[in-house]
Amino acid sequence: MTVHRKEIGNRLLAALPPADLGLLTPHLQKVSFEPDAVLVRSGDELDPVYFPHSGAIAFMLDMPDGQTVATTLMGREGALASFSVLGPSPSSVTAIARIAGTASVISAAKFRAAHAQSAAIRNVVQVHARAVLLQLQHVAACNALHRVDGRMARWLLQLHDRVPEDLLPVTQEALAQLVGVRRPTVTLTMSKLREAGAIPSERRGFVEIHRGRLERIACDCYALMQRKIDRMYCQELAAPPPADREQSLESRRGKADIAFSN
């Protein structure tokens, strides 16, 4: 299977050198998912691995009282169930598609085999793992410290980052689960955002946003989190994997020794 890099929608796959990507492409299958589709249930084995090309997937934590709250949001920059490289294990969260999209899917076993052969694949998994951990840390701090309107604005901006339009296909019920509040609180908060001009209109199943005004309302977590993740991706995905860096360093040392001896 020949894959042209400009056609690769997933940022992790696009960062792989052709030879390393070639370990995956024979086993990748293109799938689509609809809003509210459950891709992984809490307690299920992490299999298969999804590399989203579009859409948005929320990781939801189920609480003992029956409520659910989002811990992270993932789109084309990530990979669902990539932690399966550590071995067969159950998922601690439920992954739900909040916005419809497409993904390339590979079995966990095939992905583990490629991961074992490729330093570049190991590198992108490590970078992605740190990005997920960073998002988890910021969301936990944000939920503890910031007001509902700022948190709502942050989630809407994160959804907008993964949708090419200002009209977001998201329901109030989905927003309630993302923010971790009840529906009446969402209704009240959305009313405040409309008054501030951050949400020009809202109709059943859709929310129109004004990004500039929404950014002014969002808590500082959004800009700080995105800046850190973007810097991490730009610096570490663009760099050669550790093994290649070590080999390159040894090669330079060898050339220096030869030049010195001559």
Side-chain angles (χ1 to χ4, degrees):
M1 181 185 300
T2 300
V3 178
H4 298 291
R5 190 159 300 277
K6 66 180 181 180
E7 298 174 355
I8 302 173
N10 182 271
R11 192 169 180 181
L12 297 180
L13 294 180
L16 293 174
D20 301 88
L21 182 60
L23 296 173
L24 301 175
T25 49
H27 312 292
L28 291 172
Q29 292 185 324
K30 192 78 170 287
V31 300
S32 60
F33 48 84
E34 297 300 320
D36 300 324
V38 177
L39 303 181
V40 177
R41 292 188 184 277
S42 177
D44 287 355
E45 185 177 337
L46 289 169
D47 190 11
V49 181
Y50 292 80
F51 291 91
H53 298 279
S54 60
I57 301 168
F59 290 4
M60 311 299 300
L61 186 63
D62 301 319
M63 303 303 292
D65 62 358
Q67 284 189 288
T68 59
V69 62
T71 59
T72 54
L73 195 67
M74 179 184 296
R76 62 178 295 271
E77 79 288 349
L80 172 60
S82 62
F83 298 162
S84 62
V85 295
L86 301 176
S89 60
S91 176
S92 59
V93 296
T94 297
I96 300 178
R98 283 304 171 208
I99 295 177
T102 61
S104 290
V105 177
I106 184 173
S107 73
K110 296 290 187 184
F111 187 61
R112 280 195 294 270
H115 178 270
Q117 297 179 59
S118 168
I121 293 176
R122 292 194 293 273
N123 184 55
V124 298
V125 170
Q126 290 170 9
V127 173
H128 175 52
R130 290 197 294 275
V132 170
L133 178 59
L134 192 152
Q135 189 177 164
L136 283 169
Q137 292 169 335
H138 277 277
V139 170
C142 185
N143 287 344
L145 299 174
H146 296 143
R147 301 188 323 179
V148 173
D149 56 346
R151 287 156 47 201
M152 178 79 75
R154 173 178 58 78
W155 282 115
L156 287 170
L157 287 169
Q158 287 185 259
L159 288 171
H160 188 239
D161 289 340
R162 295 163 175 86
V163 176
E165 301 175 354
D166 290 339
L167 191 64
L168 305 180
V170 61
T171 64
Q172 284 204 4
E173 182 178 357
L175 287 173
Q177 291 183 341
L178 286 172
V179 183
V181 297
R182 300 189 183 279
R183 281 286 298 276
T185 304
V186 172
T187 301
L188 179 61
T189 304
M190 296 293 278
S191 177
K192 291 181 179 179
L193 294 178
R194 278 197 302 273
E195 291 176 3
I199 297 180
S201 68
E202 179 189 3
R203 60 180 186 269
R204 187 175 181 85
F206 291 91
V207 175
E208 183 185 6
I209 70 163
H210 186 294
R211 186 173 180 97
R213 292 172 183 169
L214 205 60
E215 287 177 341
R216 288 194 287 272
I217 295 171
C219 56
D220 294 337
C221 291
Y222 171 75
L224 181 61
M225 178 175 63
Q226 292 305 120
R227 186 164 58 248
K228 287 182 177 179
I229 291 176
D230 285 344
R231 184 185 303 121
M232 183 187 302
Y233 270 57
C234 290
Q235 292 178 350
E236 299 187 34
L237 289 185
D244 289 352
R245 288 198 294 268
E246 291 174 6
Q247 184 177 5
S248 177
L249 179 60
E250 289 299 323
S251 176
R252 290 198 299 271
R253 285 174 178 168
K255 290 179 180 179
D257 291 342
I258 292 172
F260 183 76
S261 63
N262 290 340

